Amino acid sequence: MPNPQSENAISLDSETLSRLSQASTATVATLLFKRGYHNAYVQGVSALAPGKQTLVGPAYTLRYLPARPDTDPLDAFRESDHPQRVAVEECPAGAVLVMDCRQDASAASAGSILLTRLQIRGAAGVVSDGGIRDAAGASALQMPVFAAKPSAPTNLTKHHAVDIGLPIACGGVAVYPGDIVLGDDDGVMIIPRHLANEIAEESVAMELFEAFVLEEVNRGVSIRGLYPPTDPDTLVRFQEWQRQNA
């Protein structure tokens, strides 16, 4: 069995992230379900600004504990080693900052200034099961941002940043550093890194078949025998469709 805590060392095929960028979270949810992964969809999180490019990249994790007055005074941000600030400055280019806020969106996990810094540094995006402040500015970024909701209070109100680069929970889903994060207008899926290559490869064929199915439905074909393709003639028509659209 794979050791999730060492999965960041598992290499990805050169086409994996590109293939996943063309896949929907719905497709990936089905492919993970077939493998027994029934809890990979991050609950309570959506795109701050729908319609952006698909979010895809390896997870870089940040965990928050509940805040206390002695650990989270307003001047805590003056500390050079404050984990939230460190995470923003060290999140690798192409990675997704995933924040565990215990599904508490009553305070922000970050705001538009820190998110802008992440975008400038080349991060692929952000996923938080907490709130985001300065939401209008965060929504205007080119980088996709997924969160529970806009939330004005500073993170110090409720959240104490404590761990970077360790396994976390986000929206009720286990996220290990290096897992692949996929986000679109349907939400966010977490793909265990050791499955990413095969999920990406299978998603290409599945997306292609579903494009064919949609065309068939639009021209009046019954769903019976079509989806799933239990009628042998369905696969014959699909193969002909592929030849015509190659």
Side-chain angles (χ1 to χ4, degrees), residues 44 64-67 100-110 128-133 147-160:
Y64 288 100
L65 293 176
D100 173 3
C101 297
R102 311 169 315 284
Q103 296 179 279
D104 182 353
S106 61
S109 52
S128 170
D129 64 0
I132 294 292
R133 70 193 310 205
K149 68 180 183 70
S151 190
T154 176
N155 67 332
L156 297 173
T157 308
K158 290 292 184 71
H159 305 308
H160 174 67

Side-chain angles (χ1 to χ4, degrees), residues 110-148:
S112 64
I113 291 176
L114 296 188
L115 297 180
T116 299
R117 176 60 178 162
L118 278 167
Q119 176 173 280
I120 294 297
R121 294 193 62 257
V126 171
V127 177
S128 170
D129 64 0
I132 294 292
R133 70 193 310 205
D134 311 314
S139 299
L141 294 172
Q142 183 178 3
M143 177 184 73
V145 177
F146 290 78

Side-chain angles (χ1 to χ4, degrees), residues 19-128:
R19 287 169 175 164
L20 287 173
S21 72
Q22 302 303 311
S24 68
T25 52
T27 288
V28 168
T30 298
L31 292 173
L32 286 172
F33 178 80
K34 289 178 178 179
R35 290 164 169 81
Y37 288 81
H38 302 163
N39 185 38
Y41 178 74
V42 179
Q43 297 293 327
V45 165
S46 59
L48 280 186
K52 294 185 186 291
Q53 75 271 20
T54 297
L55 168 65
V56 61
Y60 182 81
T61 59
L62 172 64
R63 183 170 72 99
Y64 288 100
L65 293 176
R68 298 194 327 192
D70 56 335
T71 60
D72 299 278
L74 187 58
D75 62 0
F77 288 144
R78 295 180 179 274
E79 301 169 5
S80 61
D81 61 348
H82 189 278
Q84 185 205 45
R85 268 46 179 179
V86 171
V88 167
E89 291 297 332
E90 296 187 359
C91 180
V96 179
L97 177 59
V98 183
M99 292 184 276
D100 173 3
C101 297
R102 311 169 315 284
Q103 296 179 279
D104 182 353
S106 61
S109 52
S112 64
I113 291 176
L114 296 188
L115 297 180
T116 299
R117 176 60 178 162
L118 278 167
Q119 176 173 280
I120 294 297
R121 294 193 62 257
V126 171
V127 177
S128 170

